Structures are given as structure tokens and as C-alpha cells.
Amino acid sequence: MTLTLSPILLDAGIDLSDAIVIRHAYVREHEDSGLPGIHADSTTAEILEYTRNQSTQRFPNVPPRFWIVFIKEGGDQARLWCVIENRGEISNDGQCRIFDLVESEHMADLRGRLVIGWSSPRAWWMHASTAASNPVMGIADAEPVPFPGFDRLVLDHAKLQAVMREHRYASWRTALGSVVGIYLITDTSDGRQYVGKADGAESIRQRWGTYATNGHGGNVELRNLQPASFRFSLLRVFDPATPTPEIDAAESHFKVALDTRRHGLNRN
């Protein structure tokens, strides 16, 4: 059974009725506007600028919210550049329309990796419901992301989920699985903080894995909060052989230092 673009878009939370798929090709200038085209060394800003300028004749009258942009590659194939969000038309002189576009995090893990077939050489855009049947030709391995170090680690909940799931963060999981210690969760919606620990047989990776899965890690204090507002960081890490009383003392210290019992989310 051939994998198509449809399940990838749906898994990314993109409504097919609210998206179009675009395939850019390297050209000297934009066919409709006469503006400079794009090339292999074009920057993200240049490609975004190229995309935001569209003809009044050959584009949907009311473009949808999401534009899934590919770059032509090797004849009938195209590689994902980015998913961008259309925030509306900002000018129209009768020939050229300019749109307010911003990069979206949808399918960010597939940028530069996802390659699809494109069998209609003259069609440079199509509705996502049509492109949904385009075959997936390949998904390249993600480039590894270097681990930044324990003292530089700050993750929102979406990034934490990616770290626990994606191949490119394998070294991060190895590092987090090698230590126990004290961590901090900040609810960025109101600034309240929660000090927690991973000790004994439970590494930081295992402990944070539960937060990635259910958002609250089993903590009563966090159950009714929105994990999308959480920010995770490490306060202190220990070797797994460290005696439990030493880790408990460090946890207690940070609860006092950050006053998370009276003004934060810790109950004890």
C-alpha cells in the first residue's frame, strides 16, 4: 500500500479543506509578477517573500489558512520547504496580491525531509484535498540536534514531546536518561512554579516522559492546568548512585529558595 500525503497532513492537524499545497521551482523571476525568483541558495526570508506575492489571475480568490510549500526536485518530485500560515491579504493592485505570511510549526519535523510525487508539471498549486493523494516518495532521516547541556535546557511542552519522540533528539534522551535530579516546571500563564525530582531508579528522562505523555506527570497540583503553558528546566542533576537523602535535601532547598509552597504549585 502506497503512503500518500493525506495521513501526514491529518496527523499534523491540518484540515484539508483549509489548506493548499504549493510547489515552487527555481526560476530567475516570478512568472506572474516579474519579481526576482528563487534559487538553491535562497534564504528563508527570500522564499517567504517570493511566496507572499501572488497573481490576481492564477491563485484562489480566498486562499485558505495553511499553505504547504514544496520545492521542485528531480522532475516529478518535490521536497517540503515549510508550512506557512496565511493571515490575510494586505494589498492588491489588480495584478499582484501580497499576503501576510508567517512560518508555522506544523510539520516542522519534516522540513527538508518529506519528498512527494508531483505528477502535474504545469500545476504549481492545488487544493490540499487534491494533493492528499500524491504519493510519498521518501522521508529522509532527520539531522541530529546536538544536546545543549543540562544547564542550558529549557523546553516548552511541545518541544518536550518532540524530544521524547523524534530520532533527531536521540542524544538528548541518552543524556537525560543518565542522570537523576531536581527539575523546575514554570506555568508561563501566571508565573507559578513547581519543583520536582527524579530519583532512585527513575531518571530525568523517565520522569519527563510522563509529562510528555499526560501533561501532569501524576502530580495533583498540575492536573487541572494546561501543559501547553509549561516550561521545563533542570535545577540540579546527580549521578544515579547519589543517596536519596541528598537528593531530597536539594529538592527541599529549591522549594524554599523559590518559595514554591506558598507562592507556587508545590503542596509539600
Side-chain angles (χ1 to χ4, degrees):
M1 182 177 178
T2 302
L3 175 64
T4 64
L5 184 58
S6 177
I8 293 177
L9 296 180
L10 295 175
D11 183 64
I14 295 176
D15 185 341
L16 299 185
S17 66
D18 198 22
I20 57 174
V21 179
I22 294 172
R23 186 193 66 167
H24 287 325
Y26 295 138
V27 293
R28 288 182 177 273
E29 65 179 30
H30 196 289
E31 181 179 345
D32 298 314
S33 67
L35 294 170
I38 58 173
H39 49 79
D41 295 322
S42 292
T43 65
T44 296
E46 289 169 341
I47 298 175
L48 191 63
E49 181 65 21
Y50 177 78
T51 307
R52 67 197 296 262
N53 288 270
Q54 297 294 337
S55 168
T56 57
Q57 304 298 320
R58 303 176 59 196
F59 206 60
N61 290 330
V62 184
R65 177 184 176 188
F66 292 111
W67 302 5
I68 301 102
V69 182
F70 289 80
I71 304 292
K72 182 179 179 180
E73 182 175 277
D76 62 352
Q77 295 186 6
R79 186 177 296 272
L80 179 65
W81 173 67
C82 185
V83 176
I84 52 182
E85 183 176 350
N86 167 32
R87 295 185 174 178
E89 185 176 283
I90 56 178
S91 72
N92 185 335
D93 64 5
Q95 292 186 326
C96 180
R97 304 164 69 189
I98 300 178
F99 294 87
D100 179 13
L101 305 179
V102 295
E103 291 185 59
S104 169
E105 286 303 308
H106 286 78
M107 297 170 63
D109 60 323
L110 292 175
R111 293 180 189 176
R113 299 175 55 215
L114 173 64
V115 178
I116 65 170
W118 195 282
S119 59
S120 303
R122 295 188 61 82
W124 62 271
W125 75 267
M126 60 183 72
H127 295 290
S129 56
T130 301
S133 62
N134 285 26
V136 172
M137 309 304 292
I139 300 177
D141 288 340
E143 288 293 324
V145 180
F147 182 64
F150 297 116
D151 58 347
R152 296 183 179 180
L153 202 60
V154 179
L155 310 172
D156 61 24
H157 190 252
K159 183 68 172 288
L160 176 65
Q161 291 178 313
V163 166
M164 294 298 163
R165 179 182 68 242
E166 296 176 16
H167 177 70
R168 58 180 173 154
Y169 293 110
S171 66
W172 296 43
R173 292 192 294 274
T174 298
L176 294 173
S178 69
V179 295
V180 296
I182 313 302
Y183 59 87
L184 181 70
I185 300 176
T186 300
D187 184 347
T188 58
S189 68
D190 58 19
R192 290 186 298 167
Q193 296 178 315
Y194 175 87
V195 172
K197 68 175 178 177
D199 60 0
E202 185 178 51
S203 66
I204 291 291
R205 173 184 175 177
Q206 291 170 308
R207 188 73 191 104
W208 280 12
T210 62
Y211 290 110
T213 300
N214 61 29
H216 53 72
N219 301 118
V220 175
E221 303 92 330
L222 307 180
R223 283 186 181 274
N224 296 320
L225 303 179
Q226 294 298 318
S229 299
F230 291 171
R231 186 176 63 204
F232 298 79
S233 59
L234 293 170
L235 296 174
R236 187 175 176 185
V237 296
F238 297 89
D239 182 277
T242 303
T244 298
E246 185 175 341
I247 300 174
D248 290 342
E251 179 189 29
S252 180
H253 163 74
F254 282 112
K255 287 179 179 178
V256 172
L258 297 173
D259 206 9
T260 58
R261 293 189 179 98
R262 287 196 305 164
H263 300 296
L265 294 166
N266 287 108
R267 290 190 176 182
N268 55 52

